[in-house]
Amino acid sequence: MRRSIRHLLIAVAIVLAVTASVLGYSMAQKSEAAQTLPAGFSIREMPSGQQSLPTDIAYTPDGGYISAAKSGHLAYVAPTGEVTPLGDLPVRDDQDLGLTGIAVAPDFAASGFLYVARTTDTSVMRLGRFTVQFSAGADPKPVGLGTEKVLLETPARTAVHGISGVEAAADGTVWVSIGDSADFIRVDPLALDAQKLDSPYGKLLHITKDGAGVATNPYYKAATPNSWSSKVYAKGFRSPFRFTLDPVTGAPMVGDVGWNWWEEINMVKAGDNLGWPCWEGDDTAGGYRDLPGCFGVTATKPLHTYSHNGKNASVTGGIVYTGTSYPEQYRGSYFFADYALQTVSNMKLRDAQGKLLPAPVPTVFSRETVPMQQGGGNCIVKFTAAPNGDLVMVDICSNVVKRLVYEGGNRAPVAKATTTVEPATLTVQFDASATTDLDGDVLTYAWDFGDGEKGTGVTASHRYAEAGDYTATLTVKDPGGKSGTYKLKVVPANHAPTIEWVSAPAEDHKFKVDEALVIKAQATDADELAADGTPTPLTVRWESVMFHCYGGGCHSHPSKAYTGPEYNVPFEDHGDDTHMQITAFVTDAKGVTTQRSYKAWPKLMNLTVRSTSPAAVTINSRDAQTVPVTVGSKLSLVAAETAIDGVATFKSWGDGGARVHDMTMPDRDVELTVTYETPIDKRLATDKPAAAKLGAPLGAETGNGTLRTREFQGGRMYWTPQSGAHIVEGLILTNYLANGGPATMGAPTTDELTTADGVGRYNRFEYGAATYWTPQTGAHSVFGAIYTKWAELGLERGPLGYPTTDEMGTVKPGGRYNYFQNGSITWSGWTGAHAVYGAILTKYGELKWDWGVLGFPRTDELPTARPGGRFNDFEGGTIVWSPGTGAQMVMGAIHTKWGEYGWDNGRLGFPTSGETATPKVYGRFNAFQFGLVYWSPSTGAHAVYGAIQTRYAQLGWENSYLGFPTSEEFGVPNGRRQNFQKGYVVWDARTGAVVDRRN
């Protein structure tokens, strides 16, 4: 919630009288608000010693206590309840400021030292050490303040988050907490001082009784013991409102009031950084986290946090219960409060073995059921312990000190009463309906009217016989015999004083921030007449209370009180739903008070903030939206450096302000746009030719942190972190999208470029793909390994030329291919990508491509060993080409046999035919330049060549009586021989004669 004090020093105004009428008036004491408590517990009220707004108490060794008020008043309350004023210190007491903390030195009986934390009337936050003056005699009591020694001072830069607490440790050292003294509504760079060791703001300080740093402090320097860094124990606090020292470890336990989301309770170690303003609770603080001063700042994890849950919240740090009078379940528990929620909670800190729990879980111990704006109490601003260990709490709303006692069983009722007086008849109406009983018992009511007469019942009416001052007493009893009493001053003949507005703004007037709010009043008392018989004018006292409402709850912020006939102050700025209530009080000689109020409402205009990209954009640290804002209100506008997508970066606010800047709400509705610039935006802004080429956008930019795109009249621009922003256009874009676009080809890594030969255009893409276009071929995409192979062959300037198809699937499962102007590249997972072109490609096609006998190519086209030839190997064989033989396919056993003879460079030369079936008998053969290779199932593959081949041909090949060859040609004496199925052929080297014989 947004509030100047958010912690508990801003209390509701306490009203002691209500309206007067012609017939009568009421002298109404403020009723005790309904407060829940666990069974057996009750509240024992003790005097605060203050007229209003008590802030702290500190017990003295005699069992009494010294109390402090926000106004600067100090008083001593004796164990018997008598109050002795000690003095009034000049203070600045608006919003959080004033006299905020006191601590009695452990040797108080001897030294008389009283530590006082306050903001002086010169706007200086000061910790002073006073020497208390004592009465003379055997039982000396505090009676005044002596000299002051200033221990530390620093300017109060704002009216909030000031010096907030002081504790005097048993070892004689002193602990002091100071808030960030920064703006509580807007992002304020001053808050960053909470991270600086040379600044006192946002710190927990540990000093000696004379104000120097304690030598064991984490940043202590012996050469400069009085430097701020030497005094710092821990940093990174926003508004450390109330702390105690853990009775087990001595560590400070600090309640730190959050901003908009989280309240913290911290078990603080030396050197801890609680992270403010960069962190709030366990989260980075919106609005501040994007400031350069917060980059890289880490934070100590709080012991406990609780969320505002869209409501007001304001923690008051408490104490650990160390007494023995409460039930076992509360012993060793930490009690703390929330001022705005009007609750007191407790939580166990340690397990049965005494080990600190890593995540203690609190439960609500006490809750006020009447809202603060309706007079509810339980506004706890300080915890301390009574001499027996009982919890003692200062309730700033009710102006009482509350001691929490455990009685067990029946609890006494709390008597309360009001009166309504009719002066003309001396009749007084008594009403005890404000009486409460925590056990819900049926009560009896007895009235002593103070004139000897008695009455009974919740209400009673009594007519006094004569005018005078009376003290009436109400006594209430429960069935268990427990009772409570309440005394009232009654003046039956007294008329209430009156207040008239001499001038005041119209009831429906709406105020701008800092607009003068002027009311003039006249107060008179009919019972006090001047010499001429006219009513005597009375002095008017003015109080103003700001009500700050958020999330269904409200809390209040009283301002300074004034006296005189005129109230004249500027309308304040407090953010959210804020209005002021100005009340004029007048009290007559009999103590009867009349009041009259004026409510000042703000003039609201709507501020709407929009962002071109989803981003963390805040108004006064809350997510940007349409919000009503008081005219003249100062706002903090913060846009994250980077949008939620992690890509777009801040460019500008619609009002021209910096990324983090303040604005003052004008007297009109305002719409502001935060512009985030993506890499696509940036390229278009700097590349005018590209912007002209693309033309107007056809839609919003879409995508995320890994891929973004935007469509324009002339194409699309894509962006990835790896490749940057590039344009795809025309038929290349059409083909790119038809092939799956970024999902299958990746984003473009180039704009459309001209090919090296000057004929075509192309874009390259991330996944090893490219799309090429020419007027003759159109646009076609080449991917992956096929693209890599094409590139190895020189791309469009290589033997294949431009692609004429996109990559397609082969008929045989598992393959892909592209056709090019002069060939193809075919790929499979087990053969890789290989180019086939020219006559070999034609032959491959005749043989039905990959789904024919050859399957996928296993090599590119390569030169043969014999000059002049080319070949490709395939899964099922080889196609070999030479100028004289053309392209021929060799496969299977014949292929193997050919290889045994040295391929084309061997005895057989190039093939001159493909593998051919024999005419009559089942077999296969290939003809080669210098022979043939025959194969049959029963004989296998054998080569026939030379003179033996000639005789074999003369006989009719395999159809002759010889049949298929069954051996290779082999040497015999004086010649060569080759065996066949039914004979053999012999060649005589001496004569050249060839003969054939049957077996």
Side-chain angles (χ1 to χ4, degrees):
M1 88 183 215
R2 260 178 206 81
R3 52 203 186 283
S4 68
I5 181 107
R6 294 211 37 225
H7 50 64
L8 304 105
L9 292 186
I10 296 294
V12 296
I14 299 174
V15 180
L16 298 179
V18 296
T19 57
S21 67
V22 175
L23 296 178
Y25 63 88
S26 65
M27 295 181 63
Q29 302 289 349
K30 184 180 183 296
S31 65
E32 177 71 19
Q35 180 179 344
T36 64
L37 286 170
F41 284 93
S42 60
I43 294 293
R44 185 175 300 164
E45 292 189 356
M46 303 186 298
S48 71
Q50 305 295 333
Q51 287 188 337
S52 64
L53 305 181
T55 57
D56 202 354
I57 68 166
Y59 272 92
T60 51
D62 63 356
Y65 51 86
I66 296 173
S67 70
K70 194 171 186 294
S71 63
H73 184 69
L74 288 163
Y76 166 71
V77 181
T80 54
E82 294 88 355
V83 177
T84 301
L86 298 181
D88 289 280
L89 302 177
V91 297
R92 175 187 172 186
D93 63 349
D94 54 322
Q95 299 205 52
D96 287 9
L97 307 182
L99 200 170
T100 52
I102 58 174
V104 167
D107 62 348
F108 180 76
S111 69
F113 288 166
L114 176 69
Y115 298 97
V116 178
R118 72 191 191 276
T119 302
T120 70
D121 56 351
T122 58
S123 295
V124 173
M125 294 189 287
R126 174 186 293 176
L127 177 69
R129 190 189 72 206
F130 284 88
T131 302
V132 174
Q133 297 171 337
F134 290 86
S135 62
D139 186 21
K141 302 292 183 185
V143 293
L145 298 177
T147 57
E148 179 188 19
K149 177 179 176 59
V150 176
L151 302 185
L152 59 83
E153 285 187 326
T154 191
R157 304 182 297 190
T158 68
V160 297
H161 304 171
I163 186 168
S164 54
V166 55
E167 291 287 333
D171 64 0
T173 61
V174 183
W175 298 81
V176 189
S177 59
I178 301 179
D180 65 7
S181 194
D183 194 287
F184 64 96
I185 300 177
R186 295 167 291 280
V187 172
D188 186 351
L190 289 177
L192 290 166
D193 286 351
Q195 291 295 313
K196 299 175 181 177
L197 293 176
D198 59 354
S199 165
Y201 302 107
K203 306 297 190 304
L204 181 64
L205 307 178
H206 192 194
I207 61 175
T208 67
K209 66 179 182 179
D210 295 319
V214 173
T216 56
N217 282 345
Y219 311 106
Y220 179 82
K221 295 179 181 178
T224 56
N226 286 303
S227 66
W228 287 120
S229 59
S230 286
K231 300 176 184 181
V232 171
Y233 184 81
K235 66 179 181 177
F237 296 94
R238 180 175 183 265
S239 179
F241 189 64
R242 302 313 191 201
F243 63 92
T244 188
L245 301 180
D246 177 33
V248 175
T249 64
M253 294 189 66
V254 183
D256 196 17
V257 179
W259 193 14
N260 289 303
W261 308 107
W262 298 98
E263 302 298 298
E264 297 179 13
I265 294 171
N266 301 287
M267 182 77 80
V268 182
K269 303 184 298 298
D272 276 353
N273 180 3
L274 280 304
W276 177 257
C278 310
W279 292 78
E280 183 181 1
D282 291 321
D283 296 333
T284 54
Y288 282 102
R289 60 178 165 239
D290 294 309
L291 297 183
C294 283
F295 293 167
V297 173
T298 58
T300 303
K301 182 177 178 61
L303 177 66
H304 174 68
T305 64
Y306 62 95
S307 172
H308 294 184
N309 291 322
K311 299 180 180 180
N312 286 320
S314 181
V315 70
T316 298
I319 63 171
V320 178
Y321 175 67
T322 58
T324 58
S325 61
Y326 296 174
E328 179 65 32
Q329 70 190 83
Y330 297 106
R331 298 176 190 179
S333 289
Y334 177 75
F335 284 77
F336 65 97
D338 190 290
Y339 168 73
L341 297 175
Q342 297 169 265
T343 59
V344 173
S345 299
N346 68 288
M347 62 185 183
K348 278 285 188 184
L349 292 179
R350 293 175 168 86
D351 59 21
Q353 289 72 42
K355 184 178 179 181
L356 186 69
L357 296 171
V361 179
T363 58
V364 174
F365 180 87
S366 172
R367 185 187 302 277
E368 174 63 69
T369 60
V370 178
M372 193 182 298
Q373 66 269 29
Q374 298 176 20
N378 209 29
C379 311
I380 307 304
V381 297
K382 179 60 183 291
F383 288 85
T384 190
N388 76 333
D390 282 355
L391 261 66
V392 178
M393 301 167 285
V394 178
D395 186 341
I396 196 171
C397 295
S398 302
N399 189 26
V400 294
V401 176
K402 295 179 174 181
R403 181 167 177 167
L404 180 67
V405 298
Y406 182 77
E407 301 175 88
N410 185 35
R411 293 170 288 184
V414 178
K416 293 290 180 181
T418 61
T419 59
T420 302
V421 180
E422 299 175 3
T425 62
L426 303 182
T427 300
V428 179
Q429 308 295 329
F430 294 86
D431 187 346
S433 59
T435 296
T436 59
D437 186 274
L438 289 168
D439 299 315
D441 293 333
V442 176
L443 306 176
T444 61
Y445 299 79
W447 298 92
D448 180 343
F449 298 124
D451 61 352
E453 300 294 326
K454 310 291 183 182
T456 60
V458 176
T459 61
S461 179
H462 179 63
R463 183 170 183 172
Y464 287 84
E466 56 186 49
D469 294 359
Y470 302 90
T471 299
T473 303
L474 166 68
T475 302
V476 295
K477 289 185 178 181
D478 67 15
K482 293 288 184 72
S483 64
T485 60
Y486 190 79
K487 294 184 180 298
L488 307 93
K489 180 180 179 180
V490 182
V491 187
N494 191 64
H495 291 83
T498 61
I499 299 175
E500 299 293 336
W501 291 152
V502 176
S503 63
E507 293 292 331
D508 60 352
H509 181 77
K510 301 297 188 293
F511 287 84
K512 305 174 185 178
V513 173
D514 291 333
E515 180 180 350
L517 202 173
V518 182
I519 305 173
K520 296 181 179 180
Q522 181 178 352
T524 56
D525 182 5
D527 294 325
E528 300 178 30
L529 302 178
D532 60 0
T534 60
T536 302
L538 301 178
T539 299
V540 178
R541 179 172 58 89
W542 300 88
E543 290 185 2
S544 65
V545 180
M546 176 180 291
F547 288 97
H548 178 202
C549 302
Y550 175 70
C554 298
H555 67 284
S556 58
H557 304 258
S559 295
K560 279 183 172 290
Y562 299 89
T563 58
E566 180 180 284
Y567 178 87
N568 187 342
V569 298
F571 188 79
E572 296 184 46
D573 177 16
H574 204 78
D576 294 322
D577 180 4
T578 300
H579 66 275
M580 295 178 66
Q581 180 171 294
I582 297 88
T583 303
F585 297 88
V586 61
T587 302
D588 66 12
K590 296 294 185 180
V592 176
T593 298
T594 298
Q595 68 181 54
R596 182 172 181 180
S597 296
Y598 176 87
K599 288 187 177 180
W601 298 93
K603 184 175 186 180
L604 299 174
M605 292 293 169
N606 287 327
L607 172 61
T608 300
V609 173
R610 297 184 174 88
S611 176
T612 58
S613 294
V617 180
T618 61
I619 303 172
N620 289 347
S621 86
R622 293 211 182 105
D623 292 340
Q625 53 186 325
T626 298
V627 294
V629 180
T630 304
V631 174
S633 179
K634 291 180 173 59
L635 304 168
S636 178
L637 306 179
V638 178
E641 180 69 41
T642 304
I644 292 173
D645 60 19
V647 175
T649 56
F650 172 81
K651 181 182 181 184
S652 64
W653 278 93
D655 61 354
R659 185 176 63 81
V660 178
H661 73 286
D662 291 343
M663 69 165 283
T664 300
M665 190 67 189
D667 195 358
R668 56 181 173 81
D669 291 340
V670 175
E671 289 191 8
L672 289 179
T673 297
V674 188
T675 300
Y676 278 83
E677 194 173 46
T678 68
I680 291 177
D681 296 328
K682 292 177 182 177
R683 172 152 185 214
L684 291 175
T686 57
D687 188 343
K688 299 305 181 184
K693 177 187 292 186
L694 288 173
L698 300 180
E701 185 174 316
T702 60
N704 51 40
T706 60
L707 173 68
R708 300 188 68 81
T709 183
R710 192 171 192 185
E711 186 171 7
F712 298 83
Q713 288 176 326
R716 291 191 185 186
M717 186 174 285
Y718 292 85
W719 171 90
T720 66
Q722 301 79 17
S723 302
H726 296 290
I727 298 170
V728 188
E729 56 188 291
L731 293 176
I732 291 180
L733 174 62
T734 301
N735 181 268
Y736 174 55
L737 297 177
N739 278 288
T744 56
M745 297 176 67
T749 59
T750 68
D751 289 348
E752 185 178 296
L753 302 173
T754 301
T755 55
D757 63 4
V759 175
R761 305 283 291 172
Y762 71 96
N763 279 81
R764 291 199 176 104
F765 300 91
E766 288 180 329
Y767 298 164
T771 303
Y772 278 73
W773 170 90
T774 70
Q776 297 78 24
T777 60
H780 298 289
S781 295
V782 189
F783 298 78
I786 294 179
Y787 178 77
T788 301
K789 178 58 66 177
W790 185 42
E792 290 175 2
L793 296 171
L795 299 172
E796 77 280 355
R797 301 185 76 179
L800 292 175
Y802 287 96
T804 57
T805 68
D806 294 333
E807 183 181 295
M808 297 181 287
T810 56
V811 176
K812 182 177 181 177
R816 306 288 293 174
Y817 72 96
N818 276 80
Y819 281 135
F820 296 82
Q821 288 176 306
N822 304 314
S824 71
I825 298 176
T826 303
W827 169 90
S828 77
W830 53 94
T831 60
H834 299 289
V836 185
Y837 40 87
I840 295 178
L841 176 66
T842 302
K843 179 58 69 175
Y844 184 41
E846 292 173 0
L847 296 171
K848 299 183 179 179
W849 309 106
D850 54 273
W851 57 280
V853 294
L854 291 177
F856 294 118
R858 296 192 305 177
T859 68
D860 296 337
E861 183 179 295
L862 301 172
T864 57
R866 186 184 293 268
R870 307 287 290 176
F871 76 95
N872 279 81
D873 274 338
F874 296 83
E875 290 179 293
T878 302
I879 298 177
V880 182
W881 171 90
S882 75
T885 60
Q888 308 294 340
M889 179 271 288
V890 187
M891 64 179 183
I894 296 176
H895 182 271
T896 302
K897 182 58 66 176
W898 183 41
E900 293 173 2
Y901 279 86
W903 309 111
D904 55 272
N905 203 36
R907 177 69 180 78
L908 296 174
F910 290 111
T912 58
S913 75
E915 185 176 292
T916 306
T918 53
K920 294 182 178 180
V921 181
Y922 180 67
R924 310 287 289 176
F925 74 93
N926 271 81
F928 294 85
Q929 287 178 307
F930 310 116
L932 300 94
V933 177
Y934 272 84
W935 170 89
S936 77
S938 59
T939 60
H942 300 285
V944 185
Y945 49 84
I948 294 176
Q949 175 193 349
T950 301
R951 175 54 60 89
Y952 187 42
Q954 293 170 351
L955 294 173
W957 306 106
E958 77 281 355
N959 293 320
S960 69
Y961 77 91
L962 290 173
F964 289 98
T966 59
S967 74
E968 302 307 308
E969 186 179 291
F970 58 90
V972 293
N974 300 316
R976 305 283 292 170
R977 171 177 168 166
Q978 187 164 12
N979 294 331
F980 293 83
Q981 286 175 306
K982 296 180 180 181
Y984 58 89
V985 178
V986 177
W987 168 75
D988 190 327
R990 295 168 299 176
T991 64
V994 178
V995 296
D996 58 276
R997 298 286 187 271
R998 295 180 185 272
N999 289 336

